[in-house]
Amino acid sequence: MSKNRVQIFDTTLRDGEQVPGCKLNTDQKLVIAKQLDLLGVDVIEAGFPISSPGDFNSVVEISKLVKNATVCGLTRANKKDIDAAAAALKYAKIPRIHTGIGTSESHIKFKFNSTPEKIIERAKDAVKYAKSFVEDIEFYAEDAGRTDNEFLAKVCEEVIKSGATVLNIPDTTGYCLPEEYGAKIKYLKENVKGIDNVILSCHCHNDLGLATANSIAGVQNGARQIECTINGIGERAGNTALEEVVMILKQHPYLNLDTNINTPMLYETSQMVQHHMGINVQPNKAVIGENAFAHSSGIHQDGVIKNRETYEIMDPADVGVTESSIVLTARSGRAALAYRAKNLGYELTKIELDTVYPEFLNYADDKKEIEDVDIHQIIKKCNIFKSKIEA
Ligand code: KIV
Ligand code: ZN
């Protein structure tokens, strides 16, 4: 694989599914997994097999179904979890076990009541044990975002020696600033023996709204995998949004980093996940929100009608949205009204537009948004096309 390829690790079905009230059944997970495989993600994290018989079964069925992507199962750093993941992944064409342990001071002290030395031993043992089942082992250093870089580097070096192929550096609590997260990845690249033989992975949470920025900082500093979810769904404020990082890399070619994602499938995939999870994204959600390509102010509408690129940095077709929309409100100008009227078959002259526009504003002040049916009514009320026919 090229040095500039960023692998997309989708965890919608594992970290994404941890959202309260969003449980998916196996059939729904299979529909989403099939779509993710077609979308071109490199890795599908299918679940946490030890967590419940239902999750175990979902990982088994997804493993049987997926044709192209690596299928991954999550574990904690213990044999029981790893046994369950190995069994659930038995049918996967390309299986990966994702094991790990908390490495920050607070996790070591409060979660494990342990010591840094013992944590390293557990990490090594888990990787070695997982390696006895599958070749591809991803290790996560939970709360790496708040882990001292020197200790993190030591953990990374030890798990590489034990057989890890991918090192996941999660900002579990969404605490890091982009510069800080980028510097962490750079530090590991420069200070861990054997780091060039493994893939560094960014796994960022969105507690401060920085998950996407942090993931991009990570790949700019040498990481080559991003862990993300469709619509940025996930615990608390969510995970890095897949559609955002993929489009950032596509829209900034000078970064010289690309993905395998078939971007025109992004919108339909987002809709599918919203439907099955029962969670709608906000209208202003980047890339796939209902307003992402909608223009409502007069100045913007005039610009977009003249040339889409005046106010759009992406082609809507590139993310699977059929076209930009011109939303008519009381803030819209004559250009937008003429444009929408033309789409309905009314070619308004300048004089006709001068007659229709004040009536349009009267309607628009009463209604939030003017629909096609309103345009028909406004034009009828102004008698324009009737008088043309009579003349
Ligand atoms: O956020 C996190 O640290 C995780 C790990 C379990 C990978 O989801
Ligand atoms: Zn996470």
Side-chain angles (χ1 to χ4, degrees), residues 14-15 74 98 140 142 168 170 172 203 205:
R14 199 279 298 170
D15 222 350
L74 184 79
H98 188 191
Y140 63 86
E142 196 180 8
N168 178 9
T172 306
H203 178 114
H205 280 265

Side-chain angles (χ1 to χ4, degrees), residues 32 45 48 59 67 70 77 89 94 97 149 176 187 228 255 259 262 276-277 293 311 314 341 353 381:
I32 294 174
E45 187 162 52
F48 182 14
V59 178
K67 291 198 165 55
T70 294
L89 292 167
I94 321 170
I97 292 179
N149 283 350
C176 288
Y187 181 88
C228 44
L255 291 177
T259 71
N262 181 11
H276 286 297
M277 285 199 160
F293 297 97
Y311 287 97
M314 286 177 267
L353 196 55
K381 200 165 172 199

Side-chain angles (χ1 to χ4, degrees), residues 282-285 287-296 325 327 369:
Q282 76 271 25
N284 59 319
K285 168 78 188 61
V287 182
I288 47 73
E290 285 311 307
N291 290 350
F293 297 97
H295 306 274
S296 67
S325 58
V327 181
E369 200 181 314

